[in-house]
Amino acid sequence: MPFGDLLEQVGGKGRFQIVHVTLLCIPVVMMASHNLLQNFVAAVPRHYCSAHTNLSQLHLSPEETLLVTVPLDDKGKPKRCQRYIDPQWYLLTKNGTSSSGGEGDTKDGLDVVLQECTDGWSYNMTEMTSTIISEWDLVCDQRSLKQMGQTVYMGGVLVGALVFGSMSDRYGRRILLLISNLLMAVSGTCVAFSNSFALYCLFRFGCGMALSGLGLNTFSLILEWIPTNVRTVVGTITGYSYTLGQLFLALIAYFVRDWRWLTLAVSLPFYVFFLIAWWFHESSRWLALTNKPEQAVKNLKSVAKFNGRQEEGEKININMLQESMQKEMSCVQGSYSVLDLFRTPTMRNMTIFLSAVWLSTSFAYYGLAMDLQKFGIDIYIIQVIFGAVDIPAKVIMTVSMSYIGRRPSQSGALVLAGITILINLLVPQDKQMARTCLAVMGKGFLAASFSCCFLYSGELYPTIIRGVAAIYLPETLGSPLPDTIEDVENR
């Protein structure tokens, strides 16, 4: 492709690319922290109904108060959402016993009436000082609100992908990256200071939108400033930034046990990233294809100077740029919309199959990674394990994409992930270690699939519009980036 030749002329693998990719990858570390933040800020502590108000005047130990207030469930543990309607003093006697039941317990053969937690809940905060669960009592009848909070966040990710995806093609990657960094910083700060669950959800929605804007424009800027032969390695480096972010989140959360301070800790760095983003160069490829040749040439010369190839950069002018990209520029004179994803046969098939790949990968990945408490293991340890498994998974995926190709690598990762998850469904619930090991394996395969998804999508679609279904996608190993829909159809 002509632009690839221009990029090599100014230095495709020089100091500019090293600094450019490094500065773009650093925010990806904190993106992972925001994406998986729910595991810690919405962790559900052990809880049970608060004692009757008249018990506060008595000198009872916490164990005695719990004994006369809360009945036991079938497993011999205090019930979370019910208490005795009156304190059961007989349970304090040496021979007092409490049998677990359904609607009520028994005393001398008589049913003991239970009631809901009318005086609120008491929380065991040995692991954390506060979470949104303990802050707003999102338990029992309100426990579904925890999932609602995460759903609202993922809704923001969806809306952000639609909004920032289309806007970046119209206004450029750099300006949208600036906006996304600022939106993440402000929304995250507002989340930390939210005084109601409704406000928490509102600002988490903003964080979700920002995450999409950051992800889409970061990867576009990376891909469009590097040559074909290093895309796999650079794409993997970006993926490892996300892996590092998962480990970094576990470290931060271990030392910052208050959900508000934890949210602030992963949000404030984006103010710095916002300032750094002013340095980034807009994609000259995008500038040339949107009738801004002067700025495109200026950026190419700036890159050449940064790479110590100023003499080569001075040879580039508007006429050279227009002549070398004449075909591509002539193809983008019209306007493009989401309908162009389905207008031609190749684009239509790619869109359908890629959508299936992204849906299956995301659905399974977040199903495993977003609720770590269900594994019954310390959440800090399981977060580290889930993050660490990405390291070998992405090494294998990098080698596979480079030597076998994108298509078999993508489909193979999804098939293996599906097999491990299906096997996990057949393992009995009491085999917790086996279930966790299978989940970790599945998480690794899905992380490898994600690593390929980002790179594959950027290579398949043209510049002007940025499971088993992966088998039907075209191979892109060693192929230059397409600039137009015609390039995609002719590939």
Side-chain angles (χ1 to χ4, degrees), residues 109-269:
L110 300 176
D111 285 338
V112 176
V113 181
L114 303 180
Q115 66 177 181
E116 295 181 352
C117 303
T118 55
D119 292 318
W121 289 263
S122 296
Y123 297 92
N124 185 335
M125 304 306 293
T126 55
E127 292 188 1
M128 298 178 182
T129 58
S130 72
T131 69
I132 64 168
I133 305 300
S134 62
E135 178 101 6
W136 294 306
D137 290 331
L138 306 183
V139 293
C140 298
D141 292 342
Q142 304 294 318
R143 64 182 180 275
S144 62
L145 293 180
K146 174 189 174 181
Q147 282 72 30
M148 179 184 289
Q150 185 61 28
T151 300
V152 169
Y153 170 77
M154 297 307 292
V157 174
L158 174 62
V159 173
L162 296 173
V163 172
F164 289 117
S166 60
M167 289 179 67
S168 67
D169 290 326
R170 178 174 297 183
Y171 301 108
R173 288 79 164 99
R174 178 176 172 271
I175 185 64
L176 267 298
L177 195 62
L178 283 164
I179 294 173
S180 298
N181 274 306
L182 186 59
L183 178 60
M184 181 67 86
V186 173
S187 296
T189 303
C190 291
V191 167
F193 289 99
S194 299
N195 57 11
S196 69
F197 181 68
L199 285 177
Y200 170 86
C201 289
L202 175 64
F203 294 122
R204 280 291 283 169
F205 183 87
C207 290
M209 287 189 64
L211 185 95
S212 282
L214 287 167
L216 291 170
N217 292 288
T218 293
F219 215 76
S220 292
L221 271 182
I222 289 176
L223 275 183
E224 292 172 4
W225 274 115
I226 59 174
T228 300
N229 58 351
V230 296
R231 285 205 307 262
T232 301
V233 175
V234 172
T236 303
I237 291 173
T238 308
Y240 273 122
S241 299
Y242 191 87
T243 299
L244 180 62
Q246 297 179 63
L247 301 174
F248 192 54
L249 173 62
L251 180 65
I252 298 175
Y254 183 80
F255 290 103
V256 184
R257 301 296 182 101
D258 181 273
W259 77 268
R260 293 184 185 274
W261 284 107
L262 178 58
T263 303
L264 267 182
V266 299
S267 300
L268 293 180

Side-chain angles (χ1 to χ4, degrees), residues 343-354:
R343 203 179 301 278
T344 59
T346 303
M347 289 288 291
R348 182 165 54 249
N349 289 336
M350 284 196 324
T351 299
I352 292 172
F353 295 135
L354 259 184

Side-chain angles (χ1 to χ4, degrees), residues 228-229 231-232 406 459 475-480:
T228 300
N229 58 351
R231 285 205 307 262
T232 301
R406 276 60 156 160
E459 292 177 333
E475 185 54 63
T476 58
L477 176 61
S479 301

